[in-house]
Amino acid sequence: MFRCSMLRMLLVCLVAVNGAVQAAVSELASHPVWLQLLHAGQTPVTAENSPFYLAADGYKHPQNELEATISAFKRQPDLQCRYPARRMFLQQHAPNLTFTRVECAEYQQYLEAFMTDSVSLIYASGFLGNPASMFGHVFLKFNGNQQHDLLDNTFSYGAQVPDSDNKLAYIVKGISGGYAGHFTNQKYHHHDLTYNESELRNLWEYRLNLTRTEVMFLLAHLWELENSTMTYYFFKQNCAYQLAQLLALVIDEPLIDAAKLWVMPVDLIMRLNSTKSGKPLYTSVIFHGSRQQSLYDHYQQLSAKQQAVLKDIIQQPAEQTTALLAQLREGDAKPVIDTLYDYVALQDVRLDELPESLKEKKRLAMVRRFELPPGQVDWQAYQPVAPHNAQLTSLLQAGYLDYPEGSAATFRFRASYYDLLTYNPGRLPFSELTTFDLTLAYKDNQKIAVKNFNLLKLINLNASQTGLPGDDALAWRLAAGYRQQANNCQHCGSGFVEGFIGKAWSPGSQFVIYGAASGLATSSNRLGGNVASGGEVGGVITITPTLAMSFSAGHQWYLNNLSAHRQYVEVESRWLISQQWDVRASFSYLEQAETGVHISYYY
């Protein structure tokens, strides 16, 4: 009888212990860090050489994957070297679990190659010349102990795009999930060459406020993702999304807006500044200007005489270089020579091959430089407004329009990103990139109608900030969507594609004007034709940091009906209130004049 009682008690205890263990495992399997290690809630991870998930249904069932991991670590201790982040997670959250200690030589070599105690999140500004780069890019830099950060290691997430795919194929496949995405490890000098030098994009480095243990945890999971891929989506599971998910391993803050169906690189940067504690997630912001930015910074610091000599050197024959530099005192010649170096380097990027005359001018300038006393030019450091200070990227707007015969209420939604008047430091100056921009109008008790819908609108005025030969490019615009053909017509819309090509001038850093040849194609048109061509003039003025205005006017003739034409005028002013609010006033003429006032909310 006693033995039976002891046996029953032992069985009860074993059942109780087993139940407690199962409850602990179940609770641990729902831990947000464990879910992130499995990339739950997104497309599964696919590894090339061995399965990323140890359980057959591990992607869908985190508890099964946790149990399989614990079992595998006990049966095959060497698997701890394949999953060092999982091992670190279990050591922290289940310290009672013990595994055989193993030496992971390859993993240790990987960690030693990084030699880092800190990590930075770097944002590269947008590049409108490539669909893959229009919205900017983010990547991680692990800061080493080298004298120059060009030797630091980086991890970047992107799509594996075949060289044979053109830009249209990239857009279609990128949006629909037609590419595999993966993390790549490269030295920082690769990004410096690509972004700063070749594409003339500025970089902002955000030094993250992480401990050494947290940095090692990030590196451990990146090791687990080596030779692994995930489905890449241009607007969702992109570089910003994957880096936000990675940082969520060590940052207990929402880095992705759950209310949005899309993720933009600059959204992640802004999230670093919006925390529950009110303190930013970074310790400092470091600006890395492009080759073009270096030219602009130095040119603006030259005196009027120095600028005139530099322009003469560039415009006149090479043999005049020495004589022109001789006009300047020693202290004035050094900055001109340095700025000439910047100019030559910029042209080397833009041109297939530098003209021999420009090479000779640089050589003669170097000869003069060696004749001058040693010492560097004391340039003032340029520190622009960082991109996390920009207005947020999505827009809701309510407005009121007044017509000669009535009025209308409008509602506008723009998925992303910025227009000519958006306060957006970090972007290309005098540019616009908007997608899915829809405006609805309710007029005189009629039905709600689509007033305007821009599926995509790109503008790059490419205005020179120096006036130097070669420091400019064509101004251009491209837009496609659906809109009403006239302000006095509520239900006569048509699909359209339009654009212009021209030239822009910037008399000052806050003012640009342009003139261009424009074109328009519509699906149908009550005004008399479907294909139109003509001219357009316009500009943008930043009056104060809070007040800015854009304007444009054009005249076009329909090529398939030359007796018909269209004239249009658009003027809009913006008063900045905060990152989330501004007020705008507008005037538009298209067959009829209309004025409006609009309040905008950014999120």
Side-chain angles (χ1 to χ4, degrees):
M1 179 68 72
F2 178 74
R3 289 180 179 178
C4 291
S5 297
M6 290 294 293
L7 183 59
R8 289 194 188 97
M9 291 177 63
L10 180 60
L11 290 173
V12 169
C13 289
L14 288 174
V15 170
V17 169
N18 184 64
V21 170
Q22 289 296 319
V25 170
S26 178
E27 182 178 355
L28 199 58
S30 61
H31 194 286
V33 173
W34 178 252
L35 296 178
Q36 182 50 44
L37 287 173
L38 304 185
H39 294 256
Q42 64 178 83
T43 55
V45 179
T46 303
E48 291 182 5
N49 302 323
S50 60
F52 179 81
Y53 301 100
L54 294 173
D57 57 354
Y59 166 67
K60 295 182 179 179
H61 299 283
Q63 182 170 333
N64 293 351
E65 184 65 17
L66 178 59
E67 293 172 352
T69 299
I70 295 172
S71 176
F73 283 1
K74 290 181 177 295
R75 289 183 293 103
Q76 297 176 265
D78 287 348
L79 277 176
Q80 297 174 69
C81 299
R82 169 73 176 86
Y83 300 99
R86 296 190 189 189
R87 179 181 62 184
M88 293 173 70
F89 172 80
L90 290 172
Q91 287 173 339
Q92 179 181 356
H93 297 281
N96 293 330
L97 287 174
T98 58
F99 306 110
T100 302
R101 184 178 179 83
V102 294
E103 297 295 330
C104 303
E106 291 186 11
Y107 177 60
Q108 287 304 315
Q109 291 176 1
Y110 160 80
L111 292 179
E112 291 170 4
F114 279 78
M115 295 186 298
T116 183
D117 292 326
S118 67
V119 62
S120 297
L121 180 64
I122 296 186
Y123 169 72
S125 60
F127 176 59
L128 296 183
N130 187 341
S133 307
M134 291 191 302
F135 292 93
H137 183 60
V138 285
F139 60 93
L140 292 179
K141 181 167 78 72
F142 290 85
N143 306 308
N145 300 319
Q146 299 89 354
Q147 291 184 349
H148 204 294
D149 62 357
L150 291 177
L151 298 177
D152 288 343
N153 285 284
T154 69
F155 271 99
S156 179
Y157 182 83
Q160 296 176 322
V161 182
D163 293 337
S164 58
D165 282 6
N166 57 35
K167 293 181 179 180
L168 179 60
Y170 172 80
I171 293 174
V172 173
K173 291 183 180 180
I175 293 175
S176 61
Y179 293 122
H182 68 137
F183 281 96
T184 56
N185 171 219
Q186 294 170 312
K187 293 294 185 181
Y188 177 61
H189 65 73
H190 169 83
H191 296 289
D192 177 77
L193 178 63
T194 300
Y195 299 130
N196 277 163
E197 302 291 333
S198 299
E199 296 181 351
L200 305 178
R201 299 162 69 179
N202 293 326
L203 300 176
W204 280 266
E205 177 181 351
Y206 289 76
R207 289 282 179 108
L208 299 180
N209 189 16
L210 299 178
T211 66
R212 175 177 171 78
T213 300
E214 291 169 335
V215 173
M216 292 301 104
F217 194 39
L218 293 179
L219 285 172
H221 187 52
L222 287 166
W223 170 267
E224 295 176 348
L225 292 172
E226 187 177 25
N227 298 320
S228 299
T229 61
M230 294 160 278
T231 305
Y232 178 89
Y233 289 95
F234 187 76
F235 288 112
K236 183 64 175 180
Q237 293 180 32
N238 51 26
C239 62
Y241 178 90
Q242 294 298 350
L243 286 186
Q245 295 295 329
L246 180 69
L247 292 173
L249 291 172
V250 294
I251 295 177
D252 186 23
E253 294 280 353
L255 297 178
I256 294 176
D257 190 341
K260 286 187 179 182
L261 300 177
W262 54 93
V263 182
M264 295 290 105
V266 76
D267 287 338
L268 175 57
I269 296 299
M270 290 180 174
R271 283 280 173 173
L272 299 180
N273 218 49
S274 302
T275 63
K276 291 175 287 189
S277 66
K279 297 180 180 179
L281 298 173
Y282 54 87
T283 58
S284 61
V285 181
I286 305 169
F287 176 68
H288 303 276
S290 68
R291 175 69 66 185
Q292 185 178 45
Q293 190 64 56
S294 179
L295 170 64
Y296 290 168
D297 298 344
H298 292 168
Y299 183 82
Q300 296 301 328
Q301 295 181 50
L302 298 179
S303 66
K305 182 178 179 180
Q306 289 172 318
Q307 291 179 356
V309 170
L310 176 63
K311 189 170 295 186
D312 286 342
I313 292 173
I314 294 170
Q315 292 177 331
Q316 293 189 23
E319 53 267 25
Q320 298 296 321
T321 301
T322 302
L324 289 168
L325 288 172
Q327 299 176 11
L328 300 171
R329 294 177 301 177
E330 291 182 353
D332 292 337
K334 285 182 182 180
V336 172
I337 293 172
D338 278 9
T339 310
L340 178 63
Y341 292 164
D342 292 326
Y343 175 82
V344 173
L346 177 61
Q347 297 309 308
D348 196 22
V349 171
R350 286 182 162 172
L351 303 176
D352 294 334
E353 185 176 353
L354 274 177
E356 290 299 323
S357 62
L358 200 53
K359 294 179 182 178
E360 179 63 9
K361 292 173 183 179
K362 180 181 178 182
R363 187 191 70 81
L364 292 172
M366 291 178 67
V367 171
R368 176 57 180 155
R369 182 65 180 84
F370 286 128
E371 295 173 350
L372 299 174
Q376 296 181 342
V377 177
D378 187 20
W379 295 110
Q380 294 181 3
Y382 174 68
Q383 186 66 31
V385 179
H388 68 266
N389 294 298
Q391 288 184 290
L392 303 181
T393 58
S394 297
L395 168 70
L396 292 175
Q397 185 184 84
Y400 173 84
L401 296 177
D402 184 67
Y403 302 85
E405 72 277 7
S407 61
T410 63
F411 173 81
R412 180 183 178 189
F413 166 75
R414 186 177 74 208
S416 64
Y417 187 17
Y418 62 89
D419 56 49
L420 287 172
L421 295 182
T422 304
Y423 181 69
N424 190 6
R427 68 170 175 180
L428 285 172
F430 305 119
S431 66
E432 177 170 340
L433 169 56
T434 57
T435 59
F436 205 92
D437 188 356
L438 173 66
T439 301
L440 303 176
Y442 179 73
K443 179 180 179 182
D444 296 337
N445 297 320
Q446 300 178 19
K447 294 181 179 179
I448 295 176
V450 174
K451 180 175 179 60
N452 187 64
F453 173 62
N454 282 317
L455 179 63
L456 174 68
K457 186 177 182 182
L458 298 170
I459 298 177
N460 191 355
L461 296 183
N462 277 318
S464 170
Q465 295 187 27
T466 65
L468 297 174
D471 179 33
D472 59 359
L474 291 175
W476 58 272
R477 178 179 71 203
L478 176 64
Y482 175 93
R483 69 184 174 206
Q484 300 301 321
Q485 298 169 22
N487 291 340
N488 57 0
C489 184
Q490 179 81 344
H491 298 284
C492 54
S494 64
F496 73 91
V497 176
E498 69 174 2
F500 67 58
I501 295 178
K503 199 72 172 176
W505 298 267
S506 183
S509 60
Q510 306 301 315
F511 178 34
V512 64
I513 56 175
Y514 68 87
S518 64
L520 167 71
T522 65
S523 59
S524 62
N525 201 309
R526 61 183 284 272
L527 301 180
N530 302 104
V531 180
S533 180
E536 179 174 312
V537 295
V540 183
I541 306 172
T542 302
I543 303 169
T544 70
T546 58
L547 184 60
M549 181 178 71
S550 66
F551 58 94
S552 62
H555 191 120
Q556 294 176 329
W557 290 265
Y558 286 101
L559 302 183
N560 56 330
N561 184 3
L562 294 177
S563 62
H565 61 93
R566 65 191 295 265
Q567 295 174 316
Y568 56 92
V569 176
E570 291 187 1
V571 181
E572 186 174 26
S573 60
R574 179 266 295 157
W575 179 44
L576 176 68
I577 299 175
S578 69
Q579 278 189 299
Q580 293 185 283
W581 295 94
D582 69 33
V583 175
R584 302 195 179 199
S586 65
F587 170 83
S588 171
Y589 177 84
L590 185 59
E591 295 294 302
Q592 178 180 271
E594 66 177 28
T595 57
V597 60
H598 318 268
I599 185 166
S600 308
Y601 171 73
Y602 298 83
Y603 67 99

